[in-house]
Amino acid sequence: MVAMLTTLLGSFLPQPRILMTMSRDGLLPSIFGTVNKSTAVPVNSTLATGLVAVLMSTSMDVDQLSGMVSVGTLMAFTVVGLCILVLRYVPPLEESSIAASFPEEEEHESKRFLAVLSIISIFGGILLVSLASSFTFLASWGRWMMGTVGLLLLISGTVKLLITKEVGISHHFGHSNCFHCPFVPVLPVASILVNVYLLANIGISTWIRVSVWLIFGLLVYAFYGVHYSLSGRTRV
């Protein structure tokens, strides 16, 4: 109960600010971006977040709530691990287009492409290994085959990243212009492996609830956010 209280409070406090920022970008209606002039609090976003929290807490028990909180936290950590790999080994689109205009940089761009394939291989391998170890209802030979293929993909992708040069010196650990993450790519890969394994062992009922929320969010983005986003209109 204490752990749940801490996690929910940690999620509840920034959520109104997230809705406010999304509203300012056009991903949500402008009503969520209203800020009280005297307290500087996003009032409507806070009320909406509180209302949803109350409805969920009164309609689900502690086990169901803890499962949904766990999925959100583990998915966030998984995305962070993947983003670290992408930032370290895949250059931004602008840099790629500039580098492609110089013949001497074409070899480096091909290495970046291999890095993308390596990241996909790592994630696919982790997913197969996690499912093979968690899906006990499958036949033994099927689990062994799935796990073996996944382990080969995981090891080959990690080895390829180990021998691939990182993108720019500013991404090196300890540099003043970047975040500090040592032991790349081993540490992010290990983090993704642990998180995906835990996600694979969460009950199917929890995944159904999370899927409903994800589908709802995708519908909001597809029918509203994608049409009114400031970033999208700037690119156009």
Side-chain angles (χ1 to χ4, degrees), residues 166-202:
E166 296 183 12
V167 180
I169 190 174
S170 62
H171 295 298
H172 292 173
F173 174 67
H175 195 276
S176 58
N177 294 329
C178 73
F179 57 87
H180 289 187
C181 181
F183 310 117
V184 178
V186 178
L187 183 59
V189 170
S191 174
I192 297 170
L193 176 61
V194 173
N195 294 329
V196 173
Y197 174 77
L198 294 175
L199 286 170
N201 286 275
I202 293 178

Side-chain angles (χ1 to χ4, degrees), residues 43-101:
V43 180
N44 295 330
S45 297
T46 303
L47 292 175
T49 302
L51 178 61
V52 173
V54 169
L55 292 176
M56 293 181 64
S57 62
T58 55
S59 61
M60 294 187 294
D61 56 30
V62 175
D63 292 334
Q64 295 171 337
L65 283 174
S66 62
M68 294 192 67
V69 171
S70 298
V71 169
T73 304
L74 292 172
M75 289 181 67
F77 290 161
T78 302
V79 171
V80 169
L82 288 172
C83 289
I84 291 175
L85 296 179
V86 172
L87 289 173
R88 290 294 181 94
Y89 295 100
V90 181
L93 185 60
E94 294 79 5
E95 293 184 9
S96 300
S97 60
I98 295 175
S101 60

Side-chain angles (χ1 to χ4, degrees), residues 132-151:
S133 61
S134 303
F135 285 3
T136 56
F137 57 87
L138 295 177
S140 298
W141 64 269
R143 295 176 62 192
W144 274 103
M145 181 178 297
M146 185 185 300
T148 302
V149 174
L151 191 61

Side-chain angles (χ1 to χ4, degrees), residues 178-236:
C178 73
F179 57 87
H180 289 187
C181 181
F183 310 117
V184 178
V186 178
L187 183 59
V189 170
S191 174
I192 297 170
L193 176 61
V194 173
N195 294 329
V196 173
Y197 174 77
L198 294 175
L199 286 170
N201 286 275
I202 293 178
I204 184 64
S205 58
T206 301
W207 277 111
I208 293 175
R209 298 185 190 94
V210 173
S211 299
V212 171
W213 279 104
L214 290 175
I215 293 174
F216 175 74
L218 289 174
L219 290 176
V220 172
Y221 177 74
F223 290 100
Y224 185 88
V226 71
H227 301 288
Y228 296 96
S229 172
L230 297 179
S231 300
R233 283 183 286 179
T234 301
R235 284 193 295 269
V236 174

